[in-house]
Amino acid sequence: MADSRAGNFPETSYGIVKRLQTIEAWTGQVAQRLGKPSLSILDFGCGIGTATPFLREYFPHCDITGADVSPASIDIAREHAGSAASFVAMSEESIPVGDGHFGLVFV
């Protein structure tokens, strides 16, 4: 099984690195514009929490919530992030938080 994916590894690795660079650049730019706010941030479709370390680094005083439709992804995100953020499973129709709760949404 692993051998069948070996040919795609460079492209997959490159894609992951580019995504991480994009996430870091975006969070850095937004943080520069906003300063050091104290607000709630939603990482919508957080998956396994890839953006969480960057959000925590650039927004150290903010509450960060990751939301995803995959309970398995949420479990991995919780394991990796520890207390850096909270994570909630959402349905395709709604996120289990109140309207107007977030000052910034990362998609």
Side-chain angles (χ1 to χ4, degrees):
M1 174 98 168
D3 287 342
S4 67
R5 295 182 185 176
N8 295 327
F9 184 75
E11 290 178 14
T12 303
S13 297
Y14 178 77
I16 291 169
V17 169
K18 290 301 290 178
R19 172 140 170 81
L20 292 174
Q21 289 171 336
T22 300
I23 292 168
E24 183 171 23
W26 179 88
T27 53
Q29 290 171 6
V30 171
Q32 278 184 327
R33 291 182 183 163
L34 295 178
K36 300 290 184 191
S38 180
L39 49 83
S40 293
I41 298 173
L42 173 63
D43 183 1
F44 182 81
C46 69
I48 61 170
T50 304
T52 303
F54 300 108
L55 292 169
R56 177 54 57 219
E57 177 182 346
Y58 287 103
F59 299 99
H61 304 293
C62 296
D63 292 325
I64 300 170
T65 301
D68 201 276
V69 296
S70 167
S73 292
I74 291 292
D75 288 343
I76 293 168
R78 284 182 179 133
E79 181 180 318
H80 288 236
S83 63
S86 59
F87 295 92
V88 295
M90 63 182 190
S91 70
E92 293 178 5
E93 293 85 30
S94 67
I95 302 168
V97 293
D99 289 344
H101 180 80
F102 298 103
L104 179 65
V105 177
F106 177 76
V107 180

